[in-house]
Structures are given as C-alpha cells and as structure tokens.
Amino acid sequence: MTKIAHEGGATILSDDINVLFRDTEGQFLATPVPFAGEFGRQHNMKRDASGGIPVGGVYRIEKSDRLSIKPLATVSQHVTLLSNMPFVNNIPEFTDDVDTVVSALADRHPLQTLQFSKEMQFDELADGLEKSRMEQQHAA
C-alpha cells in the first residue's frame, strides 16, 4: 500500500509503525517513529516528525483482486486495535488507559477492512477511500 500511495504522490510517514495520539480536543493525529521499515530504506521519504497529521481513517489491510471497504463489528475493532499496539498493550499500569484510547479511536474512526490489489492505481484507491469516508459521514 505504501508503494501505491508513494507512486501516486502521497506523503508517507512510515511503512512500518506510526504512532497515534490525541490532541487536547480529542482529535487523533499520526506521527512516525524514529525508524522506518523497508520502504524507508529503499526510498528517500520526507519525514517531518515535528507535528502530527490528522487521522482520516483506520483500516485493516487485506490482499484482494478488487477494491472493497467493509466495516468491522465493534468487538473485532477493539481486538484488532489492541493486537496492533506493540509497546503498551502488555504494560499493566497502562491497561485502563489503553482500553479508553482504543474505545475513543473506534468511536471516532471505526475500523474497517480495506481489501485491494497491489496492482491497483493510487487514484482508484484514493477515490474508494474518499467515497467510503463520505458514506460514513452521511450515515452519522
């Protein structure tokens, strides 16, 4: 997905791990960690860690032969989000905070499954994501 987005002209934070945090108004922002994945070593990514980028959506990525975006059940959202928190989900003193943040993230940006082909063009992927975002806003 990073390659598709990069080739389409998108700014890449990192293809490995990005940190999500909340600002004082409760908006979720993303920022890269100080290391990058394979994409970062192969390409000259612009990495501006001075501030966060507003989160537009949260997706579980799956390979497919066509573009499809499907919502996950609330329980699946929480389990998936918790299992993708590599640093804080096993520190006992953070347990209550992690549950609160995961619930807030799922409420603000419901986790969806994004299925797509690696041969897909960025414009097609971006159009599908924008259509899904507009449908969510209309439903809310």
Side-chain angles (χ1 to χ4, degrees), residues 71 107 110 112 130-140:
D107 287 345
Q112 300 179 79
E130 180 62 18
K131 180 181 175 185
S132 174
R133 189 181 67 78
M134 297 300 282
E135 288 171 356
Q136 278 188 338
Q137 285 180 341
H138 182 68

Side-chain angles (χ1 to χ4, degrees), residues 8-66:
T11 300
I12 307 299
L13 293 177
S14 171
D15 69 330
D16 191 357
I17 296 175
N18 293 301
V19 175
L20 300 185
F21 62 96
R22 285 189 290 180
D23 64 12
T24 55
E25 287 89 41
Q27 179 177 353
F28 283 89
L29 305 168
T31 189
V33 294
F35 50 89
E38 292 300 316
F39 189 86
R41 286 189 284 279
Q42 295 173 6
H43 301 277
N44 188 14
M45 288 191 298
K46 181 179 179 183
R47 295 178 47 140
D48 182 4
S50 64
I53 305 296
V55 171
V58 182
Y59 302 90
R60 181 179 71 186
I61 298 171
E62 295 179 356
K63 293 179 186 177
S64 178
D65 58 352
R66 63 181 181 85

Side-chain angles (χ1 to χ4, degrees), residues 75-88:
V75 170
S76 295
Q77 290 183 49
H78 287 250
V79 169
T80 301
L81 291 170
L82 284 170
S83 67
N84 283 283
M85 298 177 76
F87 301 113
V88 297

Side-chain angles (χ1 to χ4, degrees), residues 96-117:
D96 291 340
D97 292 336
V98 168
D99 290 339
T100 300
V101 171
V102 164
S103 292
L105 179 59
D107 287 345
R108 188 151 188 145
H109 300 286
L111 181 64
Q112 300 179 79
T113 297
L114 170 61
Q115 297 176 330
F116 68 99
S117 166

